[in-house]
């Protein structure tokens, strides 16, 4: 028998079972530490490998299931603006919990070998679901009561957050409207010209790194695309998100004639509606069955989290402003180019233009390397006909093109336009790293934190515990120095709280590109574009794997492979890399041919044809 226990399990319950091995299904480090203290005699077993195996197995059927739910929503912005419709594991727990449930069912039926005698389930909704389906897995024995009470308390918590979320949204939107008008008072607002040749909107995120040293606006995601299109005679304007950092609004005034601020199209009625509008799913019970289990409870769990989080309200406000903007500019714009990840805001941008300016073509530029389990990139079979999507998707290289084509994107919808964002990699591959300038006694490690707060906390927790002193080994012959780079969308305060770093940890807000030039090892919990920048500079890449879904298992022949490590092997992996660096200070960067397996050279003719 396999013992399944709720996370609030008491000491006597687990000790009476004489457990020798256990594993934890959840992301709360404090709870996992508490359980470990209850059963010090038991060995903690990682579920990383079986979890990722089941995730890859479920991927296709899961996206088809979510697509079937979306079919019943009739192009409702209340559905397509939700994180549930997006499916990305770092935005919603639904896919992770479904993987947990299917894994436990397989263990209980004997379809897979269970890795431990005790399985501790963190989420009370999931624990209740498994208990209700206990007959389907006869080898499971459930322990721990008060499951229903925990579910009720969790539901009450998220219900109580709804008025807070609404008030926060109204306050933020009113402030955004006032600050936009105040910062741009007197600035000439671009207006849609009457008649003449139609132009192009280039959607541009506004970040501190979007401005060069002389104050010029630059988009790191689309590179020189604006210059390329302007040189071809196109009239290009920047289109901003609805959320622009207040401190950057004044810097945008310099580009006011060529920049369209989405927030200027907000009205007071939009703000009031956003406070009262929430995600809605029609027919939850009709679509709740997936792989023999009824997931009604988990769908309601996700709805509660959508209602108690202001994220959807921002997307809804963006949709309202974009509809008004599309009505005004529909005769003056021939296409909108935006960074493509198939996120909720993108779907509502497409929906707004479909409703108000159907003649405007929508072009998504696939700016980031596709991760095989970043599920928003992979629509279900029925979504190609019904979901709001761009007319064309321009990929950045052959690998991304092939991944999207294999996922079902029509051939006429895809074209490879080249890697605007990664052009610098081809010149970086031949640049010297200057290893001799760094001390052979100190290993400098760049730690790139992921967007997921849970993964970021786990990585930092393990680093701070393993390196409570800066020495690589007991002989104290060599030291380690960590440079921690937070993800732009996950501030370090959300990860660390008020905790502080020791002296050998440095927090940096500098761009990864500049930090890579001064480090010896690139350490990350998930793969990103910086992985290939590190490879291009000849840096070894160390990938931290924990109890999370590995979104990127992209391994290609003839490309450098990242070294994987867990909590147990991280210290020895870094020590080994340090020894290699001392004996072989220069690592041969990948050749141009290797990089071109991933990224294509920018093709101006393709872009000219796409926007024509």
């Amino acid at each position: 028998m396999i013992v399944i226990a709720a996370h609030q399990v008491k000491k006597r319950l687990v000790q009476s079972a004489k457990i020798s091995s256990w594993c934890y299904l959840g992301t709360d480090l404090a709870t996992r530490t508490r359980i470990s203290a209850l059963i010090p005699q038991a060995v903690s077993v990682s579920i990383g490998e079986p979890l990722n195996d089941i995730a890859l197995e479920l991927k296709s059927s899961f996206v088809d299931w979510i697509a079937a739910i979306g079919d019943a929503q009739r192009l409702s912005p209340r559905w397509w603006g939700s994180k549930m419709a997006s499916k990305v594991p770092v935005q919603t727990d639904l896919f992770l919990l479904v993987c947990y449930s299917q894994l436990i069912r397989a263990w209980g039926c004997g379809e897979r070998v269970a890795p431990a005698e005790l399985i501790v389930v963190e989420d009370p909704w999931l624990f209740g679901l498994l208990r209700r389906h206990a007959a389907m897995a006869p080898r499971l024995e459930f322990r721990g009561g008060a499951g229903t009470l925990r579910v009720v308390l969790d539901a009450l918590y998220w219900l109580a957050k709804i008025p807070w979320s609404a008030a926060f949204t109204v306050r933020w939107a009113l402030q955004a409207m006032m600050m936009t008008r105040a910062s741009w008072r007197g600035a000439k607002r671009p207006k849609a010209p009457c008649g003449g040749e139609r132009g192009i909107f280039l959607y541009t995120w506004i970040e501190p790194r979007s401005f060069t040293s002389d104050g010029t606006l630059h988009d790191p995601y689309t590179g020189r695309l604006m210059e390329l299109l302007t040189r071809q005679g196109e009239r290009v304007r920047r289109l901003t998100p609805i959320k622009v950092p207040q401190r950057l609004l004044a810097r945008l005034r310099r580009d006011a004639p060529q920049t369209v601020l989405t927030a200027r199209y907000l009205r007071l009625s939009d703000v009031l509606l956003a406070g009262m509008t929430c995600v809605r799913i029609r027919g939850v019970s009709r679509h709740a069955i997936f792989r023999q289990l009824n997931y009604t409870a988990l769908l309601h769990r996700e709805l509660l989290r959508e209602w108690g989080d202001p994220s959807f309200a921002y997307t809804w406000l963006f949709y309202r402003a974009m509809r008004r903007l599309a009505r005004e500019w529909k005769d003056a714009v021939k296409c909108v180019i935006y960074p493509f990840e198939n996120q909720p805001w993108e779907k509502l941008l497409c929906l707004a233009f479909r409703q108000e300016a159907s003649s405007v073509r929508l072009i998504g530029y696939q700016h980031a390397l596709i991760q095989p389990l970043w599920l928003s990139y992979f629509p279900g079979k029925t979504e190609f006909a019904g979901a709001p999507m761009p007319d064309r998707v321009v990929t950045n290289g052959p690998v991304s093109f092939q991944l999207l084509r294999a996922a079902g994107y029509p051939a006429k919808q895809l074209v490879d336009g080249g890697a605007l964002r990664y052009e610098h990699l081809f010149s970086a591959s031949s640049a010297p790293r200057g290893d001799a300038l760094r001390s052979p006694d100190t290993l400098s490690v760049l730690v790139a934190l992921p967007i997921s707060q849970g993964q970021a906390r786990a990585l930092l927790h393990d680093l701070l515990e393993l390196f409570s002193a800066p020495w690589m080994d007991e002989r104290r012959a060599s030291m380690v120095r960590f440079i921690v780079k937070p993800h732009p969308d996950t501030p370090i305060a959300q990860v660390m709280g008020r905790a502080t770093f020791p002296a050998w940890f440095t927090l940096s807000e500098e761009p990864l590109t500049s930090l890579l030039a001064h480090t010896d090892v690139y350490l990350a919990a998930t793969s990103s574009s910086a992985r290939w920048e590190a490879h291009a500079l000849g840096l070894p890449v160390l990938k931290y794997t924990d109890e999370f879904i590995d979104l990127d298992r992209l391994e290609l022949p003839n490309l450098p492979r990242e070294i994987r490590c867990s909590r147990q092997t991280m210290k020895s992996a870094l020590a080994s890399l340090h020894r290699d660096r001392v004996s072989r200070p220069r690592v041969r960067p990948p050749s141009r041919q290797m990089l071109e397996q991933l990224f294509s050279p920018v093709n101006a003719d393709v872009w000219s044809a796409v926007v024509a």
Side-chain angles (χ1 to χ4, degrees), residues 85 175 414 603:
Q175 187 178 17
L414 296 175
N603 192 325

Side-chain angles (χ1 to χ4, degrees), residues 116-170:
E117 297 169 300
L118 171 67
I119 314 294
V120 180
V121 177
E122 177 183 291
D123 189 85
W125 297 78
L126 176 61
F127 184 78
L129 181 150
L130 293 168
R131 217 169 194 176
R132 284 191 293 275
H133 292 82
M136 298 182 65
R139 298 178 60 202
L140 302 181
E141 177 186 341
F142 289 86
R143 297 199 176 193
T148 302
L149 177 60
R150 293 281 175 176
V151 168
V152 170
L153 291 175
D154 183 77
L156 290 174
Y157 170 79
W158 286 100
L159 287 170
K161 286 192 70 174
I162 293 174
W164 169 86
S165 177
F168 184 87
T169 299
V170 170

Side-chain angles (χ1 to χ4, degrees), residues 70-223:
D71 281 347
Q73 311 311 314
R74 304 173 191 168
L75 287 179
S76 168
R78 294 191 182 195
W79 165 253
W80 294 114
S82 71
K83 290 181 283 189
M84 199 186 316
S86 172
K87 309 179 291 288
V88 180
V90 299
Q91 296 175 349
T92 166
D93 292 332
L94 184 59
F95 184 57
L96 176 64
L97 295 179
V98 168
C99 289
Y100 282 160
S101 65
Q102 294 293 330
L103 201 52
I104 292 174
R105 186 193 65 79
W107 291 338
C109 295
E111 297 174 4
R112 294 173 181 261
V113 178
E117 297 169 300
L118 171 67
I119 314 294
V120 180
V121 177
E122 177 183 291
D123 189 85
W125 297 78
L126 176 61
F127 184 78
L129 181 150
L130 293 168
R131 217 169 194 176
R132 284 191 293 275
H133 292 82
M136 298 182 65
R139 298 178 60 202
L140 302 181
E141 177 186 341
F142 289 86
R143 297 199 176 193
T148 302
L149 177 60
R150 293 281 175 176
V151 168
V152 170
L153 291 175
D154 183 77
L156 290 174
Y157 170 79
W158 286 100
L159 287 170
K161 286 192 70 174
I162 293 174
W164 169 86
S165 177
F168 184 87
T169 299
V170 170
R171 175 175 167 271
W172 174 86
L174 290 173
Q175 187 178 17
M177 290 172 61
M178 290 187 293
M179 290 300 298
T180 300
R181 285 163 173 73
S183 299
W184 278 40
R185 184 178 290 117
K188 186 177 180 181
R189 170 180 168 177
K191 295 185 178 180
C194 299
E197 187 176 354
R198 297 192 297 167
I200 295 171
F201 275 161
L202 181 58
Y203 189 93
T204 305
W205 287 311
I206 307 301
E207 305 169 348
R209 62 173 176 161
S210 302
F211 298 90
T212 60
S213 56
D214 64 354
T216 304
L217 181 61
H218 169 72
D219 182 8
Y221 300 97
T222 57

Side-chain angles (χ1 to χ4, degrees), residues 404-418:
L404 294 181
R405 188 73 187 91
Y409 285 77
K412 64 179 181 180
Q413 191 179 6
L414 296 175
V415 62
D416 185 358

Side-chain angles (χ1 to χ4, degrees), residues 16 70 109 120 239 366 389 401 431 440 465 473 480-481 513 542 565 578 584-585 606:
S16 64
C109 295
V120 180
L239 178 63
Q366 183 261 308
M389 293 180 67
F401 184 95
E465 193 168 283
D473 52 40
V480 64
R481 181 174 69 95
T513 303
L542 187 61
C565 71
H578 180 58
R584 295 184 296 114
V606 167

Side-chain angles (χ1 to χ4, degrees), residues 458-477:
L459 175 54
L460 281 181
H461 174 271
D462 288 350
L463 279 174
L464 290 169
E465 193 168 283
L466 290 168
F467 293 94
S468 56
W471 311 107
M472 296 287 289
D473 52 40
E474 295 180 358
R475 294 183 296 118
R476 298 193 172 191

